[in-house]
Amino acid sequence: MAQPVAIEVWNPNGKYRICTQKKTILSVEDIVALIGDKCDGVIGQLTEDWGHTLFSALSKAGGKAFSNMAVGYNNVDVNAATKYGVAVGNTPGVLTETTAELAASLSLAAARRIVEADEFMRAGLYDGWLPHLFVGNLLKGQTVDVIGAGRIGSAYARMMVEGFKMNLIYYDIYQSTRLEKFFLKANGEQPVTWKRASSMEEVLREADVISLHPILDKTTYHLVNKDSLAVMKKEAILVNCSRGPVIDEVALVEHLKQNPMFRVGLDVFEDEPYMKPGLSEMKNAIVVPHIASASKWTREGMATLAALNVLGKVKGYPVWSDPNRVDLFLDENSLPPAASPSIVNAKALGLPVSKL
Ligand SMILES: NC(=O)C1=CN([C@@H]2O[C@H](COP(=O)(O)OP(=O)(O)OC[C@H]3O[C@@H](n4cnc5c(N)ncnc54)[C@H](O)[C@@H]3O)[C@@H](O)[C@H]2O)C=CC1
Ligand SMILES: O=C(O)C(=O)CO
């Protein structure tokens, strides 16, 4: 039986009360208990399973809005929300640079074996400079691949090209105008080449570093699997700051065992918070606990956007016309626009769009 939840109520006598529960991952039963019989809207986490049960419970309690405190919303059944008339918000834009910076950090840490070298040093094993000690890969002039060249993928590509002079190949189901414009603007003066790949195989075969930034859906589930790993270079670096199930993690562990010079940097895992057996023992894997968006500015921005998504709907405001332009909602010195910054099912619900 589900444990009773310990609900904390903030602003108990105010017009709007906020109920919270101190638990890292809330089950569907916990959330149903938190919603109770009167709830206008909910801010949730990417670890929660928002489907028919929860949207039905929210709708019965009078709720009309839900926002993930995340840009990715693969944990949310948007069709179910629409069926119950609930608006679904997310928090785009404020995570872009922070997440790309972690992907860049993991790329560098893997290329230069920073974690292994740190462990070696702390273990007191360093007894003097040697020509072959922790030799890694030089990034300059190598090829970086971005799979999913949206907001974050494009920001990462820019960092690796501008910062490390890597050549670029990107793969996306759509042409990335935001990325291509950046290169066209560079007047061809950069000492790099770039192209859009026509297939995943082309990307995998040519890449020295591959960074995954697509959304998670059925087209990207296990996009990297036993077959695709077999195509990659033996000394390639694979980085994942998207969602764990984009990689078949069991196949990855096997590949890491067979190819000690293949290295990975992982922020996300298939069965989060757990790792597949064997991964934690692999010296050629760097693993961090889903912290790609964990900068102070970003986390505050995510909280603000999620709260304003819900508040906007509760107050009957329209939705913001461009969810990629959210800076006006983040200015501490002025009131935010009277709109919900990013509602992903606004069209399906027929919500009015802000004229601001
Ligand atoms: N590790 C972390 O802490 C974070 C993870 N994320 C993840 O990153 C994802 C991307 O975020 P944004 O860049 O803001 O989203 P975005 O929507 O701007 O970019 C996603 C890109 O993936 C592409 N795509 C979709 N299906 C594809 C396929 N089958 N093959 C190749 N590309 C495909 C889209 O066309 C789009 O360009 C989020 O959905 C989320 O899951 C986002 C922020 C932080
Ligand atoms: O916003 C997201 O999608 C995340 O993964 C949060 O870091």
Side-chain angles (χ1 to χ4, degrees):
M1 220 178 70
Q3 295 283 322
V5 286
I7 299 175
E8 287 176 312
V9 181
W10 303 80
N11 194 24
N13 304 316
K15 183 168 174 208
Y16 297 115
R17 287 177 303 286
I18 298 179
C19 303
T20 58
Q21 222 279 75
K22 273 197 189 134
K23 192 171 167 192
T24 307
I25 299 183
L26 294 177
S27 66
V28 166
E29 293 75 27
D30 292 335
I31 300 170
V32 168
L34 261 166
I35 289 172
D37 54 12
K38 168 98 183 73
C39 177
D40 296 313
V42 174
I43 298 171
Q45 309 284 10
L46 56 86
T47 45
E48 297 160 5
D49 183 8
W50 278 85
H52 280 272
T53 309
L54 288 183
F55 286 117
S56 155
L58 181 56
S59 160
K60 275 200 201 110
K64 291 271 180 286
F66 164 80
S67 184
N68 235 18
M69 187 182 147
V71 65
Y73 53 89
N74 53 286
N75 61 312
V76 182
D77 180 343
V78 179
N79 290 333
T82 305
K83 181 178 149 202
Y84 290 103
V86 176
V88 173
N90 73 337
T91 63
V94 285
L95 299 99
T96 304
E97 302 293 325
T98 297
T99 305
E101 282 181 13
L102 192 89
S105 310
L106 289 174
S107 307
L108 290 181
R112 301 304 300 273
R113 306 175 63 184
I114 289 173
V115 175
E116 279 176 84
D118 177 278
E119 283 169 357
F120 174 88
M121 196 73 195
R122 289 171 199 273
L125 297 171
Y126 181 50
D127 56 8
W129 189 90
L130 283 172
H132 55 266
L133 195 59
F134 291 109
V135 170
N137 303 2
L138 172 70
L139 295 180
K140 186 177 179 206
Q142 290 209 323
T143 298
V144 63
D145 267 8
V146 172
I147 297 180
R151 287 174 290 247
I152 299 169
S154 297
Y156 169 84
R158 199 190 65 236
M159 288 173 195
M160 303 313 281
V161 167
E162 278 185 345
F164 302 103
K165 305 294 179 219
M166 297 190 79
N167 297 316
L168 172 73
I169 307 179
Y170 83 87
Y171 176 75
D172 199 299
I173 46 173
Y174 300 108
Q175 182 181 22
S176 177
T177 38
R178 81 166 44 82
L179 186 54
E180 294 199 9
K181 260 191 195 158
F182 162 74
F183 285 101
L184 292 176
K185 268 200 281 170
N187 296 327
E189 282 172 22
Q190 301 257 354
V192 297
T193 62
W194 70 273
K195 65 177 173 180
R196 178 181 176 197
S198 53
S199 70
M200 268 283 285
E201 189 166 331
E202 182 184 349
V203 171
L204 300 174
R205 207 176 283 289
E206 295 184 28
D208 299 297
V209 179
I210 300 165
S211 197
L212 303 171
H213 297 285
I215 56 167
L216 172 63
D217 66 3
K218 55 181 186 312
T219 71
T220 59
Y221 176 79
H222 283 191
L223 194 65
V224 175
N225 52 37
K226 187 170 184 255
D227 295 339
S228 41
L229 287 163
V231 176
M232 292 183 204
K233 291 184 184 174
K234 297 275 181 235
E235 298 194 0
I237 289 166
L238 175 66
V239 171
N240 190 9
C241 288
S242 61
R243 286 288 183 266
V246 174
I247 299 181
D248 175 347
E249 207 171 294
V250 169
L252 177 67
V253 172
E254 199 43 45
H255 191 77
L256 287 166
K257 282 185 189 156
Q258 301 301 327
N259 298 278
M261 295 312 286
F262 185 91
R263 293 197 278 274
V264 288
L266 303 174
D267 179 53
V268 287
F269 304 88
E270 205 169 341
D271 305 324
E272 246 170 82
Y274 308 107
M275 286 186 273
K276 292 285 189 199
L279 183 58
S280 65
E281 286 103 66
M282 301 312 304
K283 286 267 179 231
N284 44 349
I286 297 172
V287 289
V288 295
H290 203 147
I291 53 166
S293 67
S295 74
K296 189 168 178 290
W297 183 83
T298 291
R299 286 290 161 85
E300 285 175 2
M302 290 163 74
T304 303
L305 292 181
L308 292 176
N309 279 332
V310 172
L311 189 71
K313 188 73 179 67
V314 168
K315 290 200 162 194
Y317 293 161
V319 298
W320 193 235
S321 57
D322 182 359
N324 286 316
R325 195 171 52 89
V326 289
D327 27 323
L328 281 177
F329 293 91
L330 306 168
D331 184 349
E332 284 175 7
N333 300 315
S334 62
L335 282 175
S340 290
S342 178
I343 300 294
V344 300
N345 58 347
K347 214 169 179 182
L349 288 173
L351 300 179
V353 176
S354 165
K355 303 258 184 317
L356 292 170

